[in-house]
Amino acid sequence: MSILLIAIVSCFAIAATAPVSAEKVQGETAVNVNVMTITPSVFTPSYSAYGSVIADNKLTLSAQVDGQLTYLSSNLVEGGIIGLDELVYRQDDADLNAILSQRQAQWEIARAQLALEQGEQRIAEKDYQMMQQDFKDNDWKIDLDLLLRQPQLSQAKAEINIAQNALKIAERDLSRSQWLSDKRYIVESKNATQGDYLSKGDKVATLVDISQLRVPIYLPRAQASQLQLGQTIRLTQPDTGQSFNAKISHIVPILDPSSQLQKVFAQYQAIPQQNSPLIIGDFVKANITFAPINDTVRIPLAAIDNDQVWLVGPNKTLQAKAIKVLHQDESHAVINNVFTEDEYLITSKLHRPLAGLTANIVENF
């Protein structure tokens, strides 16, 4: 009994001396925030890509006729520049001139024969008209085509066509015994020497067209799909700082297997007398702009909280709105405007924000 009494007394003593819990203090319901005024604007998306200038066209220059190479331009050396309308090579054309003279003579003979046959036909028609009454009286069966020499006339016309075509071929072969440049080229390789005998098809040189170049660049599929053929883009050469205009010439509808990007070609044409134009092998930056987007807002990245932003509504309470980021850089993002005129975007970080809490605007930018 004594032990039990002692235990009961001890429990009462402990309970009497236990610490009293502090009363819970009612916390502040207003949240201090920094905000910014919403200013809608027009956003022009852009994308930067890099590439190297390459040749758009190459020409394999080959002999078109047989003959000895009697002339070769001094510029036809590896790395040489061939100008517009420059005579690049000439083959011996003595045989071709002789053939041309022969074809001209044959054409003249065919013309003369046609003229004679046309005269014979007129005489035959007159004879037929004079004898026509006799034919009716005697009921003769005659072949008018033979009587009026129609087969002979057709033959004469066919012979002049043959002679005329043979003359055109001879003139064409003579013109092909030499070649004048139709553009500006750089010589990639030389395969013939003056004095060589060239048969038709023998390679003379490989030329690169430097009047028109292009740049292959790689873009994400979403950006490539927004491009239009003929669209102007800007190329910048980093070493010189110069910028040049180019046009989208091809959009390859295949993703590159290594990068999963889409290849796009920009065509560049040098302007005459342009200082330091782009050359083959130049490394360039391509700046591509897309169609502008109206009613957008540029906001700090710190204001974005899991694809939404917090704002102060007209009743001075916190509200959350979902957003779609159109573009972002290191510090800011561009979004579609989802705000009304009497709302303010919260730019300060919030700790466990709740919609409906009272907001106390500390600073407005």
Side-chain angles (χ1 to χ4, degrees):
M1 293 294 292
S2 300
I3 295 172
L4 181 60
L5 184 60
I6 292 170
I8 293 171
V9 173
S10 299
C11 289
F12 276 107
I14 293 171
T17 59
V20 179
S21 59
E23 291 185 7
K24 187 174 182 180
V25 180
Q26 184 67 27
E28 283 287 334
T29 57
V31 180
N32 294 329
V33 294
N34 295 331
V35 299
M36 63 175 283
T37 303
I38 306 303
T39 306
S41 61
V42 177
F43 172 64
T44 302
S46 64
Y47 188 86
S48 295
Y50 297 86
S52 295
V53 180
I54 62 174
D56 194 6
N57 293 306
K58 284 188 178 183
L59 173 66
T60 300
L61 192 59
S62 303
Q64 300 298 302
V65 295
D66 299 341
Q68 186 181 23
L69 196 60
T70 57
Y71 171 81
L72 202 61
S73 171
S74 59
N75 293 323
L76 196 69
V77 292
E78 185 174 349
I81 303 295
I82 303 295
L84 178 65
D85 293 329
E86 179 178 343
L87 178 62
V88 177
Y89 75 86
R90 182 189 292 118
Q91 292 173 263
D92 184 10
D93 58 3
D95 293 344
L96 296 174
N97 272 311
I99 293 174
L100 178 62
S101 298
Q102 182 181 358
R103 297 289 183 265
Q104 285 174 331
Q106 291 172 345
W107 181 62
E108 292 293 340
I109 291 172
R111 287 180 62 193
Q113 288 177 341
L114 176 61
L116 289 172
E117 187 54 44
Q118 288 172 336
E120 293 287 346
Q121 188 187 39
R122 286 193 292 271
I123 294 173
E125 287 177 351
K126 289 180 179 180
D127 291 343
Y128 170 69
Q129 290 173 358
M130 293 175 62
M131 295 183 295
Q132 195 170 13
Q133 187 62 40
D134 295 336
F135 292 149
K136 287 181 181 179
D137 295 341
N138 295 287
D139 195 21
W140 287 0
K141 294 183 178 179
I142 59 174
D143 190 332
L144 285 179
D145 285 346
L146 291 176
L147 183 63
L148 299 177
R149 300 180 62 88
Q150 288 298 331
Q152 292 90 332
L153 181 62
S154 297
Q155 181 180 358
K157 289 181 177 179
E159 286 175 352
I160 197 169
N161 284 335
I162 293 172
Q164 191 170 17
N165 289 331
L167 177 60
K168 288 180 179 179
I169 292 173
E171 290 173 341
R172 183 201 63 189
D173 288 345
L174 181 62
S175 67
R176 288 181 175 179
S177 65
Q178 64 180 20
W179 190 75
L180 275 72
S181 174
D182 57 342
K183 298 177 182 177
R184 292 184 71 245
Y185 292 95
I186 184 172
V187 181
E188 185 178 87
S189 63
K190 174 185 174 182
N191 303 90
T193 305
Q194 186 169 333
D196 290 349
Y197 184 87
L198 300 179
S199 298
K200 185 176 181 179
D202 285 349
K203 188 174 179 181
V204 178
T206 301
L207 308 179
V208 178
D209 179 8
I210 57 176
S211 61
Q212 190 164 273
L213 306 174
R214 63 177 178 168
V215 180
I217 53 179
Y218 293 87
L219 283 78
R221 183 177 180 180
Q223 277 72 31
S225 64
Q226 300 178 50
L227 293 176
Q228 300 291 330
L229 293 178
Q231 179 179 335
T232 300
I233 67 172
R234 197 71 173 161
L235 302 178
T236 302
Q237 213 287 330
D239 292 343
T240 62
Q242 286 189 290
S243 294
F244 310 87
N245 286 330
K247 292 185 181 295
I248 300 297
S249 61
H250 297 84
I251 303 173
V252 183
I254 300 172
L255 291 179
D256 182 75
S258 60
S259 64
Q260 290 300 297
L261 297 175
Q262 199 166 344
K263 182 185 278 189
V264 174
F265 286 97
Q267 199 169 68
Y268 161 75
Q269 190 166 6
I271 301 173
Q273 279 121 35
Q274 184 178 33
N275 291 329
S276 301
L278 290 176
I279 61 175
I280 296 173
D282 262 339
F283 181 74
V284 294
K285 176 183 178 182
N287 185 39
I288 305 167
T289 57
F290 301 97
I293 303 174
N294 295 320
D295 200 21
T296 61
V297 180
R298 187 170 183 265
I299 64 174
L301 289 180
I304 301 176
D305 182 18
N306 295 328
D307 296 329
Q308 67 177 10
V309 293
W310 288 90
L311 52 91
V312 177
N315 55 357
K316 303 299 181 184
T317 58
L318 297 185
Q319 297 177 19
K321 282 192 176 181
I323 61 168
K324 180 182 178 182
V325 176
L326 304 175
H327 172 78
Q328 74 176 57
D329 53 28
E330 296 178 355
S331 59
H332 288 77
V334 177
I335 64 172
N336 286 321
N337 184 15
V338 294
F339 309 102
T340 61
E341 293 181 356
D342 51 2
E343 292 175 339
Y344 297 91
L345 176 68
I346 297 175
T347 59
S348 54
K349 282 292 184 182
L350 299 177
H351 180 65
R352 295 182 181 179
L354 293 174
L357 286 179
T358 302
N360 179 33
I361 298 177
V362 177
E363 195 168 7
N364 184 2
F365 296 96

